[in-house]
Amino acid sequence: QVQLVESGGGLVQAGDSLRLSCAASGRAFSSYAMGWFRQAPGKEREFVATISTSGGNTHYADSVKGRFTISRDNAKNTVYLQMNSLKPEDTAVYYCAANNYIVATNAHEYDNWGQGTQVTVSS
């Protein structure tokens, strides 16, 4: 099992940017497809973005497409989520997750989750 730790969340104004990081340990990071999900109070966990083991294949939720970019640095065992043009509706706890080899957009496909990092966007 891989352990995941998110960082980089905070309080920003609408239109601002944040970069979230997810540091992995425990197993070979390059064998995991990675995903970012978010959950707002009273809401279901929502898919945000996913990236393949090598970084060559990415997918985004329609709500963040063109604003968010997922990337990974396998040498650093880290996946990133660059968040630009943030909106108040982006406010949520953001979680990274690992899935062995296979890219997935369904949260139930992932077995390994980080603790989450809070992103709050004020208007």
Side-chain angles (χ1 to χ4, degrees), residues 58-113:
T58 60
H59 301 277
Y60 298 91
D62 289 343
S63 59
V64 306
K65 196 173 299 180
R67 299 188 298 121
F68 292 9
T69 303
I70 189 171
S71 62
R72 67 192 296 160
D73 186 340
N74 286 349
K76 296 181 178 180
N77 282 14
T78 302
V79 63
Y80 304 96
L81 185 68
Q82 179 66 46
M83 309 164 67
N84 297 328
S85 301
L86 283 162
K87 305 174 181 179
E89 49 263 47
D90 295 318
T91 296
V93 177
Y94 283 71
Y95 299 90
C96 67
N99 186 47
N100 192 217
Y101 296 111
I102 306 301
V103 170
T105 59
N106 190 327
H108 294 98
E109 298 288 333
Y110 292 82
D111 294 324
N112 300 289
W113 294 86

Short mmCIF file of all heavy atoms in Angstrom, two decimals, residues 58-113:
data_model
loop_
_atom_site.label_atom_id
_atom_site.label_comp_id
_atom_site.label_asym_id
_atom_site.label_seq_id
_atom_site.Cartn_x
_atom_site.Cartn_y
_atom_site.Cartn_z
N THR A 58 -4.09 12.02 -19.40
CA THR A 58 -4.79 12.77 -18.36
C THR A 58 -6.25 12.94 -18.71
O THR A 58 -6.63 12.96 -19.89
CB THR A 58 -4.16 14.16 -18.14
OG1 THR A 58 -4.22 14.91 -19.36
CG2 THR A 58 -2.71 14.03 -17.69
N HIS A 59 -7.07 13.08 -17.69
CA HIS A 59 -8.49 13.33 -17.85
C HIS A 59 -8.93 14.33 -16.79
O HIS A 59 -8.43 14.31 -15.68
CB HIS A 59 -9.30 12.04 -17.72
CG HIS A 59 -8.93 10.99 -18.70
ND1 HIS A 59 -9.43 10.96 -19.98
CD2 HIS A 59 -8.09 9.93 -18.59
CE1 HIS A 59 -8.91 9.92 -20.62
NE2 HIS A 59 -8.09 9.28 -19.80
N TYR A 60 -9.90 15.17 -17.15
CA TYR A 60 -10.38 16.21 -16.26
C TYR A 60 -11.89 16.24 -16.22
O TYR A 60 -12.57 15.95 -17.21
CB TYR A 60 -9.89 17.58 -16.72
CG TYR A 60 -8.40 17.74 -16.71
CD1 TYR A 60 -7.64 17.45 -17.84
CD2 TYR A 60 -7.74 18.19 -15.57
CE1 TYR A 60 -6.26 17.59 -17.82
CE2 TYR A 60 -6.36 18.33 -15.55
CZ TYR A 60 -5.62 18.04 -16.68
OH TYR A 60 -4.25 18.19 -16.67
N ALA A 61 -12.41 16.62 -15.08
CA ALA A 61 -13.82 16.92 -15.00
C ALA A 61 -14.13 18.16 -15.83
O ALA A 61 -13.30 19.07 -15.93
CB ALA A 61 -14.23 17.15 -13.54
N ASP A 62 -15.31 18.20 -16.41
CA ASP A 62 -15.69 19.35 -17.22
C ASP A 62 -15.62 20.66 -16.44
O ASP A 62 -15.29 21.71 -17.00
CB ASP A 62 -17.09 19.16 -17.79
CG ASP A 62 -17.16 18.11 -18.87
OD1 ASP A 62 -16.11 17.74 -19.42
OD2 ASP A 62 -18.28 17.64 -19.17
N SER A 63 -15.90 20.60 -15.16
CA SER A 63 -15.95 21.80 -14.35
C SER A 63 -14.58 22.45 -14.15
O SER A 63 -14.51 23.63 -13.80
CB SER A 63 -16.57 21.49 -12.99
OG SER A 63 -15.82 20.50 -12.30
N VAL A 64 -13.50 21.69 -14.35
CA VAL A 64 -12.17 22.24 -14.14
C VAL A 64 -11.33 22.26 -15.40
O VAL A 64 -10.21 22.80 -15.39
CB VAL A 64 -11.42 21.46 -13.03
CG1 VAL A 64 -12.24 21.40 -11.76
CG2 VAL A 64 -11.05 20.05 -13.50
N LYS A 65 -11.82 21.70 -16.47
CA LYS A 65 -11.07 21.63 -17.72
C LYS A 65 -10.69 23.04 -18.20
O LYS A 65 -11.53 23.93 -18.24
CB LYS A 65 -11.89 20.90 -18.77
CG LYS A 65 -11.09 20.43 -19.98
CD LYS A 65 -11.95 19.56 -20.89
CE LYS A 65 -12.45 18.32 -20.16
NZ LYS A 65 -13.29 17.45 -21.04
N GLY A 66 -9.44 23.20 -18.54
CA GLY A 66 -8.95 24.50 -18.97
C GLY A 66 -8.45 25.37 -17.85
O GLY A 66 -7.79 26.38 -18.11
N ARG A 67 -8.76 25.01 -16.61
CA ARG A 67 -8.30 25.77 -15.46
C ARG A 67 -7.30 25.00 -14.60
O ARG A 67 -6.38 25.59 -14.05
CB ARG A 67 -9.48 26.18 -14.58
CG ARG A 67 -10.49 27.07 -15.28
CD ARG A 67 -11.53 27.61 -14.29
NE ARG A 67 -12.32 26.53 -13.69
CZ ARG A 67 -12.39 26.29 -12.38
NH1 ARG A 67 -11.71 27.05 -11.51
NH2 ARG A 67 -13.15 25.30 -11.92
N PHE A 68 -7.49 23.70 -14.48
CA PHE A 68 -6.64 22.86 -13.65
C PHE A 68 -5.74 22.00 -14.53
O PHE A 68 -6.14 21.58 -15.62
CB PHE A 68 -7.46 21.93 -12.76
CG PHE A 68 -8.25 22.61 -11.67
CD1 PHE A 68 -8.37 23.99 -11.60
CD2 PHE A 68 -8.88 21.84 -10.70
CE1 PHE A 68 -9.10 24.59 -10.59
CE2 PHE A 68 -9.61 22.44 -9.69
CZ PHE A 68 -9.72 23.81 -9.63
N THR A 69 -4.55 21.71 -14.03
CA THR A 69 -3.62 20.83 -14.72
C THR A 69 -3.03 19.84 -13.74
O THR A 69 -2.46 20.24 -12.72
CB THR A 69 -2.48 21.63 -15.38
OG1 THR A 69 -3.02 22.59 -16.28
CG2 THR A 69 -1.55 20.69 -16.14
N ILE A 70 -3.15 18.57 -14.05
CA ILE A 70 -2.53 17.53 -13.24
C ILE A 70 -1.20 17.14 -13.87
O ILE A 70 -1.08 17.07 -15.10
CB ILE A 70 -3.47 16.30 -13.08
CG1 ILE A 70 -2.90 15.31 -12.06
CG2 ILE A 70 -3.73 15.63 -14.42
CD1 ILE A 70 -3.87 14.20 -11.68
N SER A 71 -0.22 16.90 -13.04
CA SER A 71 1.09 16.48 -13.52
C SER A 71 1.74 15.61 -12.46
O SER A 71 1.27 15.53 -11.32
CB SER A 71 1.98 17.68 -13.86
OG SER A 71 2.22 18.47 -12.71
N ARG A 72 2.82 14.95 -12.84
CA ARG A 72 3.52 14.13 -11.87
C ARG A 72 5.01 14.15 -12.14
O ARG A 72 5.45 14.34 -13.27
CB ARG A 72 2.99 12.68 -11.88
CG ARG A 72 3.27 11.90 -13.15
CD ARG A 72 2.47 10.60 -13.18
NE ARG A 72 2.86 9.70 -12.11
CZ ARG A 72 2.11 8.69 -11.65
NH1 ARG A 72 0.90 8.48 -12.18
NH2 ARG A 72 2.55 7.92 -10.67
N ASP A 73 5.76 13.94 -11.09
CA ASP A 73 7.20 13.81 -11.16
C ASP A 73 7.54 12.50 -10.47
O ASP A 73 7.61 12.43 -9.25
CB ASP A 73 7.89 14.99 -10.50
CG ASP A 73 9.40 14.97 -10.68
OD1 ASP A 73 9.97 13.91 -10.97
OD2 ASP A 73 10.02 16.05 -10.53
N ASN A 74 7.72 11.47 -11.26
CA ASN A 74 7.95 10.14 -10.68
C ASN A 74 9.26 10.05 -9.91
O ASN A 74 9.39 9.27 -8.98
CB ASN A 74 7.89 9.08 -11.77
CG ASN A 74 6.48 8.81 -12.25
OD1 ASN A 74 5.51 9.28 -11.64
ND2 ASN A 74 6.35 8.07 -13.33
N ALA A 75 10.24 10.86 -10.31
CA ALA A 75 11.51 10.88 -9.59
C ALA A 75 11.35 11.43 -8.18
O ALA A 75 12.14 11.10 -7.29
CB ALA A 75 12.54 11.70 -10.35
N LYS A 76 10.33 12.27 -7.97
CA LYS A 76 10.06 12.84 -6.66
C LYS A 76 8.87 12.19 -5.96
O LYS A 76 8.49 12.62 -4.87
CB LYS A 76 9.80 14.34 -6.78
CG LYS A 76 11.00 15.13 -7.26
CD LYS A 76 10.69 16.62 -7.33
CE LYS A 76 11.90 17.42 -7.76
NZ LYS A 76 11.60 18.87 -7.84
N ASN A 77 8.30 11.17 -6.58
CA ASN A 77 7.13 10.49 -6.01
C ASN A 77 6.02 11.48 -5.65
O ASN A 77 5.40 11.39 -4.59
CB ASN A 77 7.52 9.68 -4.77
CG ASN A 77 8.19 8.37 -5.11
OD1 ASN A 77 8.62 8.14 -6.24
ND2 ASN A 77 8.31 7.49 -4.13
N THR A 78 5.76 12.40 -6.55
CA THR A 78 4.81 13.47 -6.27
C THR A 78 3.90 13.72 -7.46
O THR A 78 4.35 13.70 -8.61
CB THR A 78 5.55 14.77 -5.93
OG1 THR A 78 6.42 14.54 -4.80
CG2 THR A 78 4.57 15.88 -5.57
N VAL A 79 2.63 13.95 -7.17
CA VAL A 79 1.67 14.38 -8.17
C VAL A 79 1.19 15.77 -7.78
O VAL A 79 1.07 16.09 -6.59
CB VAL A 79 0.50 13.38 -8.30
CG1 VAL A 79 -0.30 13.28 -7.00
CG2 VAL A 79 -0.41 13.77 -9.46
N TYR A 80 0.92 16.61 -8.78
CA TYR A 80 0.54 17.99 -8.56
C TYR A 80 -0.82 18.29 -9.18
O TYR A 80 -1.23 17.65 -10.15
CB TYR A 80 1.57 18.94 -9.18
CG TYR A 80 2.98 18.72 -8.71
CD1 TYR A 80 3.87 17.94 -9.44
CD2 TYR A 80 3.43 19.29 -7.52
CE1 TYR A 80 5.16 17.73 -9.02
CE2 TYR A 80 4.73 19.09 -7.09
CZ TYR A 80 5.59 18.31 -7.84
OH TYR A 80 6.88 18.11 -7.41
N LEU A 81 -1.46 19.28 -8.63
CA LEU A 81 -2.66 19.84 -9.25
C LEU A 81 -2.51 21.35 -9.27
O LEU A 81 -2.62 22.00 -8.23
CB LEU A 81 -3.92 19.43 -8.50
CG LEU A 81 -5.23 19.87 -9.16
CD1 LEU A 81 -5.46 19.11 -10.47
CD2 LEU A 81 -6.41 19.66 -8.22
N GLN A 82 -2.23 21.89 -10.44
CA GLN A 82 -2.17 23.34 -10.61
C GLN A 82 -3.57 23.85 -10.84
O GLN A 82 -4.25 23.43 -11.78
CB GLN A 82 -1.27 23.70 -11.79
CG GLN A 82 -1.17 25.19 -12.07
CD GLN A 82 -0.49 25.94 -10.95
OE1 GLN A 82 0.55 25.51 -10.45
NE2 GLN A 82 -1.07 27.06 -10.53
N MET A 83 -4.01 24.76 -10.00
CA MET A 83 -5.37 25.26 -10.02
C MET A 83 -5.34 26.75 -10.32
O MET A 83 -4.87 27.54 -9.51
CB MET A 83 -6.06 25.00 -8.68
CG MET A 83 -5.94 23.56 -8.21
SD MET A 83 -6.33 23.36 -6.44
CE MET A 83 -8.07 23.75 -6.44
N ASN A 84 -5.82 27.13 -11.48
CA ASN A 84 -5.85 28.52 -11.90
C ASN A 84 -7.29 29.01 -12.00
O ASN A 84 -8.23 28.22 -12.11
CB ASN A 84 -5.16 28.70 -13.25
CG ASN A 84 -3.69 28.34 -13.21
OD1 ASN A 84 -3.02 28.51 -12.20
ND2 ASN A 84 -3.18 27.86 -14.34
N SER A 85 -7.44 30.31 -12.01
CA SER A 85 -8.76 30.94 -12.15
C SER A 85 -9.77 30.33 -11.18
O SER A 85 -10.89 29.97 -11.56
CB SER A 85 -9.25 30.81 -13.59
OG SER A 85 -8.35 31.42 -14.49
N LEU A 86 -9.39 30.24 -9.94
CA LEU A 86 -10.22 29.59 -8.95
C LEU A 86 -11.53 30.34 -8.73
O LEU A 86 -11.58 31.56 -8.79
CB LEU A 86 -9.47 29.45 -7.63
CG LEU A 86 -8.43 28.33 -7.62
CD1 LEU A 86 -7.43 28.52 -6.50
CD2 LEU A 86 -9.12 26.97 -7.49
N LYS A 87 -12.57 29.56 -8.49
CA LYS A 87 -13.91 30.07 -8.26
C LYS A 87 -14.38 29.65 -6.88
O LYS A 87 -13.93 28.64 -6.35
CB LYS A 87 -14.88 29.50 -9.31
CG LYS A 87 -14.47 29.75 -10.76
CD LYS A 87 -15.42 29.02 -11.70
CE LYS A 87 -15.02 29.23 -13.15
NZ LYS A 87 -15.93 28.49 -14.06
N PRO A 88 -15.32 30.39 -6.30
CA PRO A 88 -15.85 29.97 -4.99
C PRO A 88 -16.38 28.54 -4.99
O PRO A 88 -16.25 27.85 -3.97
CB PRO A 88 -16.97 30.99 -4.74
CG PRO A 88 -16.51 32.21 -5.45
CD PRO A 88 -15.84 31.70 -6.70
N GLU A 89 -16.94 28.09 -6.09
CA GLU A 89 -17.46 26.73 -6.16
C GLU A 89 -16.36 25.66 -6.18
O GLU A 89 -16.66 24.47 -6.10
CB GLU A 89 -18.39 26.55 -7.37
CG GLU A 89 -17.80 27.05 -8.67
CD GLU A 89 -18.27 28.45 -9.02
OE1 GLU A 89 -18.25 29.34 -8.14
OE2 GLU A 89 -18.67 28.68 -10.18
N ASP A 90 -15.11 26.07 -6.28
CA ASP A 90 -13.99 25.14 -6.14
C ASP A 90 -13.67 24.83 -4.69
O ASP A 90 -12.83 23.97 -4.41
CB ASP A 90 -12.74 25.68 -6.82
CG ASP A 90 -12.89 25.80 -8.33
OD1 ASP A 90 -13.45 24.89 -8.96
OD2 ASP A 90 -12.41 26.82 -8.89
N THR A 91 -14.29 25.54 -3.77
CA THR A 91 -14.04 25.33 -2.36
C THR A 91 -14.41 23.91 -1.96
O THR A 91 -15.54 23.46 -2.18
CB THR A 91 -14.84 26.34 -1.52
OG1 THR A 91 -14.37 27.66 -1.79
CG2 THR A 91 -14.68 26.06 -0.03
N ALA A 92 -13.46 23.20 -1.37
CA ALA A 92 -13.65 21.81 -0.99
C ALA A 92 -12.39 21.31 -0.32
O ALA A 92 -11.35 21.97 -0.33
CB ALA A 92 -13.96 20.95 -2.22
N VAL A 93 -12.50 20.12 0.26
CA VAL A 93 -11.32 19.38 0.66
C VAL A 93 -10.87 18.58 -0.55
O VAL A 93 -11.66 17.85 -1.15
CB VAL A 93 -11.59 18.45 1.85
CG1 VAL A 93 -10.35 17.63 2.19
CG2 VAL A 93 -12.03 19.26 3.06
N TYR A 94 -9.61 18.72 -0.91
CA TYR A 94 -9.05 18.03 -2.06
C TYR A 94 -8.23 16.84 -1.61
O TYR A 94 -7.37 16.95 -0.74
CB TYR A 94 -8.20 18.98 -2.89
CG TYR A 94 -9.02 19.93 -3.73
CD1 TYR A 94 -9.73 20.96 -3.13
CD2 TYR A 94 -9.10 19.78 -5.11
CE1 TYR A 94 -10.51 21.82 -3.89
CE2 TYR A 94 -9.87 20.63 -5.88
CZ TYR A 94 -10.57 21.65 -5.27
OH TYR A 94 -11.33 22.50 -6.03
N TYR A 95 -8.50 15.70 -2.23
CA TYR A 95 -7.83 14.45 -1.90
C TYR A 95 -7.09 13.91 -3.11
O TYR A 95 -7.60 13.97 -4.22
CB TYR A 95 -8.84 13.39 -1.47
CG TYR A 95 -9.67 13.72 -0.26
CD1 TYR A 95 -10.89 14.38 -0.39
CD2 TYR A 95 -9.24 13.37 1.02
CE1 TYR A 95 -11.66 14.68 0.72
CE2 TYR A 95 -10.01 13.66 2.13
CZ TYR A 95 -11.21 14.31 1.97
OH TYR A 95 -11.98 14.61 3.08
N CYS A 96 -5.92 13.37 -2.88
CA CYS A 96 -5.28 12.59 -3.92
C CYS A 96 -5.48 11.12 -3.63
O CYS A 96 -5.70 10.71 -2.49
CB CYS A 96 -3.80 12.94 -4.08
SG CYS A 96 -2.73 12.50 -2.70
N ALA A 97 -5.43 10.32 -4.67
CA ALA A 97 -5.67 8.90 -4.54
C ALA A 97 -4.82 8.14 -5.55
O ALA A 97 -4.48 8.67 -6.61
CB ALA A 97 -7.15 8.58 -4.78
N ALA A 98 -4.50 6.90 -5.21
CA ALA A 98 -3.67 6.06 -6.05
C ALA A 98 -4.42 4.80 -6.45
O ALA A 98 -5.10 4.19 -5.63
CB ALA A 98 -2.38 5.68 -5.33
N ASN A 99 -4.28 4.43 -7.71
CA ASN A 99 -4.89 3.23 -8.25
C ASN A 99 -3.83 2.47 -9.02
O ASN A 99 -3.19 3.03 -9.90
CB ASN A 99 -6.06 3.58 -9.17
CG ASN A 99 -6.81 2.36 -9.65
OD1 ASN A 99 -7.15 1.49 -8.86
ND2 ASN A 99 -7.10 2.31 -10.94
N ASN A 100 -3.67 1.19 -8.70
CA ASN A 100 -2.59 0.41 -9.29
C ASN A 100 -2.74 0.31 -10.80
O ASN A 100 -3.68 -0.32 -11.29
CB ASN A 100 -2.56 -0.98 -8.65
CG ASN A 100 -1.30 -1.75 -8.97
OD1 ASN A 100 -1.33 -2.96 -9.17
ND2 ASN A 100 -0.16 -1.06 -9.02
N TYR A 101 -1.86 0.97 -11.52
CA TYR A 101 -1.69 0.93 -12.98
C TYR A 101 -2.78 1.63 -13.78
O TYR A 101 -2.47 2.29 -14.78
CB TYR A 101 -1.56 -0.52 -13.49
CG TYR A 101 -0.35 -1.24 -12.99
CD1 TYR A 101 -0.47 -2.29 -12.09
CD2 TYR A 101 0.91 -0.87 -13.42
CE1 TYR A 101 0.65 -2.96 -11.63
CE2 TYR A 101 2.04 -1.53 -12.96
CZ TYR A 101 1.89 -2.57 -12.06
OH TYR A 101 3.01 -3.23 -11.60
N ILE A 102 -4.04 1.49 -13.40
CA ILE A 102 -5.15 1.84 -14.27
C ILE A 102 -5.74 3.21 -13.93
O ILE A 102 -6.12 3.47 -12.78
CB ILE A 102 -6.26 0.77 -14.21
CG1 ILE A 102 -5.68 -0.61 -14.50
CG2 ILE A 102 -7.38 1.10 -15.20
CD1 ILE A 102 -5.01 -0.72 -15.86
N VAL A 103 -5.85 4.06 -14.94
CA VAL A 103 -6.51 5.35 -14.80
C VAL A 103 -8.00 5.14 -14.55
O VAL A 103 -8.63 4.30 -15.19
CB VAL A 103 -6.30 6.22 -16.05
CG1 VAL A 103 -7.19 7.46 -16.02
CG2 VAL A 103 -4.84 6.61 -16.19
N ALA A 104 -8.57 5.89 -13.61
CA ALA A 104 -9.98 5.78 -13.29
C ALA A 104 -10.52 7.12 -12.85
O ALA A 104 -9.80 7.94 -12.26
CB ALA A 104 -10.21 4.74 -12.20
N THR A 105 -11.80 7.35 -13.13
CA THR A 105 -12.47 8.57 -12.72
C THR A 105 -13.49 8.33 -11.61
O THR A 105 -14.06 9.29 -11.09
CB THR A 105 -13.17 9.24 -13.91
OG1 THR A 105 -14.13 8.33 -14.48
CG2 THR A 105 -12.16 9.61 -14.99
N ASN A 106 -13.73 7.10 -11.27
CA ASN A 106 -14.66 6.74 -10.21
C ASN A 106 -13.89 6.58 -8.90
O ASN A 106 -12.95 5.79 -8.83
CB ASN A 106 -15.39 5.45 -10.56
CG ASN A 106 -16.54 5.14 -9.63
OD1 ASN A 106 -16.50 5.46 -8.45
ND2 ASN A 106 -17.57 4.51 -10.18
N ALA A 107 -14.31 7.29 -7.88
CA ALA A 107 -13.62 7.23 -6.59
C ALA A 107 -13.57 5.82 -6.02
O ALA A 107 -12.62 5.47 -5.32
CB ALA A 107 -14.28 8.18 -5.60
N HIS A 108 -14.56 5.02 -6.33
CA HIS A 108 -14.62 3.67 -5.80
C HIS A 108 -13.56 2.75 -6.39
O HIS A 108 -13.34 1.66 -5.87
CB HIS A 108 -16.01 3.06 -6.02
CG HIS A 108 -17.08 3.75 -5.25
ND1 HIS A 108 -17.90 4.70 -5.80
CD2 HIS A 108 -17.46 3.64 -3.96
CE1 HIS A 108 -18.75 5.15 -4.90
NE2 HIS A 108 -18.50 4.52 -3.77
N GLU A 109 -12.92 3.17 -7.45
CA GLU A 109 -11.84 2.39 -8.04
C GLU A 109 -10.53 2.54 -7.28
O GLU A 109 -9.61 1.74 -7.48
CB GLU A 109 -11.62 2.81 -9.50
CG GLU A 109 -12.81 2.59 -10.42
CD GLU A 109 -13.03 1.12 -10.73
OE1 GLU A 109 -12.07 0.34 -10.68
OE2 GLU A 109 -14.19 0.76 -11.01
N TYR A 110 -10.45 3.53 -6.43
CA TYR A 110 -9.21 3.83 -5.72
C TYR A 110 -9.21 3.25 -4.33
O TYR A 110 -10.20 3.36 -3.59
CB TYR A 110 -8.99 5.35 -5.65
CG TYR A 110 -8.70 5.98 -6.99
CD1 TYR A 110 -9.73 6.31 -7.86
CD2 TYR A 110 -7.39 6.25 -7.38
CE1 TYR A 110 -9.47 6.89 -9.09
CE2 TYR A 110 -7.13 6.82 -8.61
CZ TYR A 110 -8.17 7.14 -9.46
OH TYR A 110 -7.90 7.72 -10.68
N ASP A 111 -8.10 2.66 -3.96
CA ASP A 111 -7.96 2.03 -2.65
C ASP A 111 -7.14 2.86 -1.68
O ASP A 111 -7.25 2.67 -0.46
CB ASP A 111 -7.31 0.65 -2.78
CG ASP A 111 -8.18 -0.33 -3.53
OD1 ASP A 111 -9.41 -0.29 -3.38
OD2 ASP A 111 -7.61 -1.16 -4.28
N ASN A 112 -6.31 3.74 -2.19
CA ASN A 112 -5.38 4.50 -1.36
C ASN A 112 -5.68 5.99 -1.45
O ASN A 112 -5.73 6.55 -2.55
CB ASN A 112 -3.94 4.23 -1.81
CG ASN A 112 -3.56 2.78 -1.69
OD1 ASN A 112 -3.40 2.26 -0.60
ND2 ASN A 112 -3.41 2.11 -2.84
N TRP A 113 -5.86 6.61 -0.29
CA TRP A 113 -6.26 8.02 -0.21
C TRP A 113 -5.40 8.79 0.77
O TRP A 113 -4.98 8.25 1.79
CB TRP A 113 -7.72 8.14 0.24
CG TRP A 113 -8.69 7.59 -0.76
CD1 TRP A 113 -9.10 6.30 -0.88
CD2 TRP A 113 -9.35 8.33 -1.78
NE1 TRP A 113 -9.99 6.18 -1.92
CE2 TRP A 113 -10.17 7.41 -2.49
CE3 TRP A 113 -9.35 9.67 -2.17
CZ2 TRP A 113 -10.96 7.80 -3.57
CZ3 TRP A 113 -10.13 10.06 -3.23
CH2 TRP A 113 -10.93 9.13 -3.91
#
